């Protein structure tokens, strides 16, 4: 991806990337992944606030994209309500789902540290190509049992992912769906998850894996890029920069 930093592009479209509002899993300090928990009360308000902020900045979109998980869907709906753009075409994709945390899904992070040790858990969380233990095929956390993924080939159904394998899953959606729309001048709102944000920001900003894996992504905070017809990007930054 080409990336511009000054007056080297004439932007034709806006891309807003945003992590969902705080979820019940975030609130409880869980490895959430594809575990389909809703927003916390704080997360609902974060999503509404983000929508109001985008409206105040005059952002208008042509389409909206999010994952298959309710914390992004509800975040998106709050944003569209506040933007008065509930009529936008809305697309959901498993490729925008959070990283699948394998056998760790649903576990409390501190309890997992007590069981496996802080260093091992940190490697599973932030090692670029370190994958946690696979989820068992009989587990309720195995996506193959979920009807929303019934049409996915078995080879595409994850049992555990690293940042590297999540990036490999996400980038085809960027290349084949999001980027072509942006190059046609369509402004997009994309609500997704922390690890997916790391993957996309790493790609768009040309970061090396070590820099991408250590990015801290705030919940409910819109990140804005400008895009021109040949796909050159300019990062404008967070609308409400985290402290």
């Amino acid at each position: 991806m080409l990336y511009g930093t000054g007056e080297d592009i004439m932007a034709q479209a806006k891309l807003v990337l945003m992590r969902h509002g705080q979820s019940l899993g975030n609130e409880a300090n869980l490895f959430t992944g594809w575990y389909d928990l809703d927003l916390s009360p704080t997360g609902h308000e974060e999503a509404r606030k983000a929508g109001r902020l985008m409206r105040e900045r005059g952002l208008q979109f042509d389409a909206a994209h999010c994952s298959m998980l309710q914390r992004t869907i509800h975040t998106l709906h709050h944003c569209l309500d506040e933007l008065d753009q509930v009529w936008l075409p809305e697309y959901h994709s498993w490729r925008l789902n959070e990283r699948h945390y394998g056998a760790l899904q649903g576990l409390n992070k501190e309890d997992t540290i007590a069981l496996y040790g802080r260093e091992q858990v940190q490697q599973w969380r932030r090692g670029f190509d370190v994958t946690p233990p696979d989820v068992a095929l009989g587990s309720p956390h195995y996506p193959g049992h979920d009807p929303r993924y019934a049409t996915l080939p078995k080879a595409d159904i994850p049992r555990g992912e690293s940042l590297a394998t999540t990036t490999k899953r996400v980038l085809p959606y960027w290349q084949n769906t999001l980027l072509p729309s942006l190059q046609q001048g369509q402004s997009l709102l994309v609500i997704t998850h922390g690890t997916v944000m790391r993957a996309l920001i790493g790609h768009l900003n040309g970061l090396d894996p070590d820099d991408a894996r250590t990015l801290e992504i705030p919940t409910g905070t819109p990140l804005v890029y400008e895009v021109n017809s040949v796909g050159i990007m300019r990062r404008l930054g967070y609308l409400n920069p985290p402290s």
Side-chain angles (χ1 to χ4, degrees), residues 5-112:
T5 57
E7 300 301 322
D8 52 343
I9 64 173
M10 294 186 63
Q12 296 181 344
K14 292 286 195 303
L15 167 67
V16 172
L17 300 174
M18 193 175 90
R19 184 183 178 190
H20 57 80
Q22 184 196 66
S23 72
L24 293 170
N26 300 140
E27 186 179 57
N29 199 30
L30 305 182
F31 286 102
T32 310
W34 288 35
Y35 188 15
D36 195 19
L37 295 176
D38 200 357
L39 299 172
S40 69
T42 297
H44 285 289
E45 182 51 36
E46 284 180 337
R48 295 185 189 101
K49 182 179 177 181
R52 291 193 293 269
L53 182 61
M54 288 187 282
R55 184 188 66 218
E56 290 165 4
R57 300 298 178 89
L59 286 165
Q60 296 284 325
F61 299 99
D62 297 289
H65 298 256
C66 67
S67 77
M68 304 284 283
L69 301 169
Q70 61 178 314
R71 57 193 186 271
T72 66
I73 297 168
H74 290 166
T75 297
L76 174 60
H77 291 170
H78 285 317
C79 288
L80 295 181
D81 278 341
E82 295 292 343
L83 283 160
D84 194 23
Q85 296 179 49
V86 294
W87 45 267
L88 284 181
E90 190 176 316
Y91 304 96
H92 302 219
S93 175
W94 68 280
R95 290 190 181 275
L96 294 176
N97 277 15
E98 178 57 292
R99 168 189 179 182
H100 195 291
Y101 272 102
L104 305 184
Q105 284 200 168
L107 301 182
N108 178 275
K109 291 174 183 176
E110 289 302 319
D111 291 346
T112 309

Side-chain angles (χ1 to χ4, degrees), residues 127-205:
F128 181 71
D129 56 3
V130 181
T131 305
D134 280 355
V135 67
L137 292 175
S139 168
H141 289 291
Y142 173 60
H145 304 307
D146 192 319
R148 80 191 85 181
Y149 309 117
T151 61
L152 281 185
K154 279 193 174 181
D156 287 338
I157 298 176
R159 296 181 60 190
E161 295 178 302
S162 64
L163 176 55
T165 53
T166 304
T167 301
K168 185 177 180 181
R169 160 165 62 83
V170 170
L171 288 186
Y173 197 75
W174 168 256
Q175 297 287 359
N176 300 328
T177 301
L178 300 179
L179 181 58
S181 296
L182 291 162
Q183 288 179 289
Q184 292 167 12
Q186 296 183 30
S187 291
L188 304 179
L189 174 60
V190 180
I191 309 295
T192 185
H193 303 265
T195 306
V196 176
M197 290 278 287
R198 291 185 188 96
L200 287 170
I201 293 169
H203 179 69
L204 299 182
N205 291 23

